[in-house]
């Protein structure tokens, strides 16, 4: 990110102990801001969800929610109870933060939620911007609709924004942590045909967009959290770029039936299908991507 902020902020981050939260916390601290996390477990510089609901919002100028049970945990069967956990961990935490903001004596300047591009209907051809319709056709799209609705607070005092993120790529978590070893061993490759779009973002840019929204007066509403070149990236492009950066063959496709067997048909949509998403409003808000193309992002992550 360019320049230094004029004012330091106190930022409350729900789910800030996770993969994106660690990158966001680092960036906020580097820029001189103070960070408090909301977590299920107590600890230093943290409050628990129970404390938030009992004591209300601690003094802060910015709030972000990143909480959510990991949907693609291969060790969890896609059962009704796991689906409920996936939903509740996002919607109940978002509601709790929105309620605390609405009830605060000194409301924060900015409130940002991260959801997902699962809002848009998977397609090989349609390109989506923040203005495109969606949110009403399957489990994940409806989840995003309810998640974003849970964040709404009345009034204009607090600026509200939602970042719809693509697959987040980074060193210490997310998709790459799960896929790295097959690729290192030369056993990586595209998922199924590999023709499905692969909407991706470097974790440093997702954290960057969140800080940009917190710091910039006037940035609000929906912002797509994908790299500018993600709109033309396919899963096969991703596999080839991984192979090329790691100097390994990446030709062995992971068959669709195997993905469905591991994750279940409903959840495997996230891997077998994808959306072509453009970060139109994100670029219009003058956010400058550090990693706009896949080779530079993967070199930064893997080398
Ligand atoms: N990573 C991606 O590729 C991606 C893509 C699109 C959208 N997103 C969204 O971005 C957000 C952050 O992603 P991430 O990869 O950083 O997530 P993560 O590391 O899997 O989890 C974030 C945090 O959520 C909290 N959490 C986990 N399970 C929970 C549960 N059952 N109830 C309440 N809290 C729970 C945990 O915090 P505590 O243990 O401290 O409570 C965890 O550190 C998530 O909402 C995710 O859906 C991520």
């Amino acid at each position: 990110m360019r320049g230094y902020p004029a004012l330091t902020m106190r930022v409350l981050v729900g789910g800030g102990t996770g993969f994106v939260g660690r990158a966001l916390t680092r960036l906020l601290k580097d820029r001189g801001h103070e960070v408090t996390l909301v977590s299920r477990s107590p600890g230093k510089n943290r409050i628990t969800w129970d404390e938030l609901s009992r004591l209300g919002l601690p003094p802060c100028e910015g709030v972000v929610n990143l909480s959510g049970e990991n949907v693609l945990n291969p060790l969890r069967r896609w059962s009704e109870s796991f689906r409920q956990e996936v939903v509740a961990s996002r919607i109940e935490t978002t509601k709790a933060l929105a309620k605390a903001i609405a009830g605060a004596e000194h409301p924060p300047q900015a409130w940002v939620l991260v959801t997902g591009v699962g809002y848009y209907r998977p397609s090989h051809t349609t390109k989506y911007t923040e203005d495109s319709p969606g949110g009403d056709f399957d489990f994940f799209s409806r989840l995003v609709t309810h998640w974003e609705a849970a964040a709404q607070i009345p009034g204009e005092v607090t600026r509200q924004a939602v970042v719809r993120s693509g697959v987040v790529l980074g060193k210490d978590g997310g998709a790459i942590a799960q896929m790295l070893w097959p690729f290192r061993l030369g056993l990586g490759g595209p998922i199924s045909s590999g023709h499905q779009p692969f909407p991706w973002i470097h974790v440093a840019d997702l954290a960057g967009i969140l800080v940009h929204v917190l710091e910039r007066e006037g940035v609000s509403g929906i912002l797509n959290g994908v790299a500018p070149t993600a709109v033309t990236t396919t899963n096969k492009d991703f596999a080839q770029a991984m192979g090329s950066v790691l100097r390994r063959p990446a030709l062995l496709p992971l068959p669709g039936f195997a993905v469905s067997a591991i994750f279940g048909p409903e959840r495997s949509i996230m891997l077998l299908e994808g959306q072509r998403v453009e970060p139109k409003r994100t670029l219009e808000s003058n956010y400058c991507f550090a990693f706009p193309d896949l080779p530079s992002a993967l070199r930064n992550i893997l080398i």
Side-chain angles (χ1 to χ4, degrees), residues 15 17-20 39-40 66-70 89-90 114-115 147 165-168:
T17 52
F19 168 49
V20 177
S39 169
R40 289 167 298 175
L66 297 170
S67 301
E69 178 69 47
N70 178 7
S89 59
R90 288 169 172 75
V114 175
T115 63
W147 196 359
S165 176
V167 180
V168 186

Side-chain angles (χ1 to χ4, degrees), residues 60-118:
C60 60
E61 288 74 38
V63 180
V64 179
N65 194 19
L66 297 170
S67 301
E69 178 69 47
N70 178 7
V71 179
L72 286 178
N73 182 346
L75 304 176
R76 298 290 305 270
R77 203 170 56 80
W78 191 235
S79 61
E80 190 47 39
S81 70
F82 185 53
R83 288 169 66 174
Q84 278 172 17
E85 256 179 83
V86 164
V87 173
S89 59
R90 288 169 172 75
I91 292 183
E92 297 313 318
T93 55
T94 302
K95 274 190 189 158
L97 284 167
K99 188 173 170 207
I101 293 168
E105 200 177 326
H106 301 287
Q109 293 152 21
W111 159 220
V112 197
L113 174 68
V114 175
T115 63
V117 296

Side-chain angles (χ1 to χ4, degrees), residues 1-2 5 9 24 27-28 31 33 64 110 112 159 161 163 204-220 223 281-289:
M1 292 200 75
R2 290 200 210 113
M9 303 173 95
L24 175 63
L27 182 60
L28 284 167
R31 294 179 66 74
H33 301 301
V64 179
V112 197
R159 212 156 31 83
V163 180
D205 276 320
L206 182 54
I209 293 170
L210 293 170
V211 173
H212 173 75
V213 177
L214 289 169
E215 289 179 356
R216 277 274 179 126
E217 282 286 333
V219 183
S220 62
L223 299 171
R281 290 194 74 249
T282 312
L283 290 167
E284 285 169 359
S285 77
N286 286 328
Y287 178 72
C288 181
F289 281 82

Side-chain angles (χ1 to χ4, degrees), residues 143-227:
L143 168 59
V144 175
T145 297
H146 292 134
W147 196 359
E148 293 179 358
Q152 302 269 329
I153 48 170
E156 309 266 297
V157 179
T158 301
R159 212 156 31 83
Q160 299 176 51
V162 170
V163 180
R164 288 186 186 143
S165 176
V167 180
V168 186
L169 306 180
K171 267 191 220 328
D172 55 353
I176 289 206
Q178 291 194 352
M179 290 184 284
L180 188 57
W181 281 107
F183 276 95
R184 278 211 196 282
L185 295 170
L187 301 172
I191 296 177
S192 188
S193 73
H195 295 315
Q196 66 277 33
F198 187 74
W200 65 274
I201 185 167
H202 191 299
V203 68
D205 276 320
L206 182 54
I209 293 170
L210 293 170
V211 173
H212 173 75
V213 177
L214 289 169
E215 289 179 356
R216 277 274 179 126
E217 282 286 333
V219 183
S220 62
I222 308 294
L223 299 171
N224 284 337
V226 291

